[in-house]
Amino acid sequence: MNIILLGAPGAGKGTQATRISEKYHLPHISTGDIFRDNIKRGTQIGLLAKSYTDRGQLVPDEVTCKIVEGRLQEADCSNGYLLDGFPRNLFQAQELDQFSKVDAVINIDIDLSLLMDRLCGRRVCKNCGESYHVNFLNGKTICEKCGGELYQRKDDNEETVGNRLKVYNEQTAPLIRFYTEKGVLRNVDGVGAIEEVFERICKALDR
Ligand code: AP5
Ligand code: MG
């Protein structure tokens, strides 16, 4: 099954993607993770992406679409994939239609007013990518799953989160209508415990 995870910054796409990918044996493809990995390695793509991700703006479509098109051709995607953070505007969605067929779009629905706190309090494992919130870490600085060091993403500050939410409203939210009209959108309430939201997603996928 070819699945897209749609949702505002902080809606829980990455958190849920880890679980969906494990249960349904699908490769988790996050364009945000791909850019962060390139930035860390100092590649040409990374140098370009950094100037956009640091400001909370979208990396140019041409670059992003080419990366995803190439990634979906890899062998592990032959039985399906889970896209997280792509497509993010109408142009990317139309491009995706040219090189792949989407079966289901899970929209993690959440009130945007909750997201500033979620994102500014997020800590991520450097090693396995698991996300935590400072409120539940009790001062711990290492990952519960793998013992890796936790860090704060550079774009998880008030100013950049503000920009990311604005970009989401203007460019990504219209995709809800786009995929509803195609008959593939499945809405899931994103408020509640992580495991509760996961159960809702599984129900929506198994439907
Ligand atoms: P990207 O990495 O995709 O960031 P994003 O969309 O802003 O989303 P996040 O990763 O911040 O949030 P999430 O929904 O994954 O939430 P998470 O599960 O971590 O993109 C970053 C940048 O890359 C973009 O700004 C752009 O510049 C560029 N980019 C990426 N894709 C692109 C594209 N297609 N085109 C152009 N540019 C692109 O959860 C957040 C927090 O909430 C965590 O602390 C977590 O523990 C907590 N949490 C999760 N679920 C719950 C719950 N149920 N209850 C309470 N807390 C919860
Ligand atoms: Mg994410």
Side-chain angles (χ1 to χ4, degrees), residues 70-207:
R71 181 65 186 86
L72 296 191
Q73 280 163 13
E74 286 178 32
D76 62 337
C77 295
S78 60
N79 288 319
Y81 55 75
L82 176 64
L83 275 174
D84 157 7
F86 183 95
R88 246 179 156 93
N89 59 26
L90 281 171
F91 180 83
Q92 293 181 5
Q94 284 156 351
E95 282 295 296
L96 177 63
D97 275 348
Q98 304 293 315
F99 54 79
S100 188
K101 185 185 169 296
V102 174
D103 298 308
V105 178
I106 297 288
N107 179 44
I108 307 182
D109 190 20
I110 186 161
D111 195 303
L112 298 195
S113 65
L114 296 172
L115 301 178
M116 183 62 83
D117 171 68
R118 268 202 193 181
L119 290 173
C120 293
R122 172 170 54 188
R123 299 294 180 271
V124 185
C125 175
K126 269 188 180 163
N127 181 43
C128 74
E130 184 70 6
S131 281
Y132 298 90
H133 193 282
V134 276
N135 289 354
F136 302 104
L137 280 170
N138 297 321
K140 275 183 274 179
T141 56
I142 55 161
C143 175
E144 229 169 60
K145 277 175 96 180
C146 74
E149 190 191 332
L150 302 182
Y151 80 105
Q152 181 167 24
R153 260 168 58 173
K154 202 163 175 237
D155 57 348
D156 281 348
N157 61 74
E158 255 181 60
E159 190 188 347
T160 312
V161 170
N163 286 337
R164 286 158 62 196
L165 292 173
K166 189 163 175 277
V167 167
Y168 168 78
N169 263 327
E170 291 172 358
Q171 303 196 42
T172 313
L175 293 182
I176 297 173
R177 182 159 171 204
F178 178 84
Y179 285 117
T180 301
E181 284 171 357
K182 282 182 174 289
V184 290
L185 193 95
R186 306 182 194 186
N187 252 314
V188 168
D189 180 3
V191 182
I194 290 169
E195 291 309 322
E196 260 173 72
V197 177
F198 179 56
E199 262 177 46
R200 290 180 202 139
I201 292 176
C202 295
K203 267 194 195 145
L205 286 174
D206 297 339
R207 216 168 44 214

Side-chain angles (χ1 to χ4, degrees), residues 7-26:
K13 301 182 296 294
T15 304
Q16 298 299 335
T18 315
R19 291 160 175 82
I20 301 167
S21 153
E22 239 171 58
K23 175 167 178 185
Y24 294 89
H25 308 289
L26 295 170

Side-chain angles (χ1 to χ4, degrees), residues 45-63:
I45 287 174
L47 287 176
L48 173 91
K50 189 171 164 31
S51 58
Y52 294 92
T53 58
D54 279 357
R55 288 180 289 127
Q57 302 296 330
L58 297 186
V59 177
D61 289 334
E62 199 190 314
V63 177

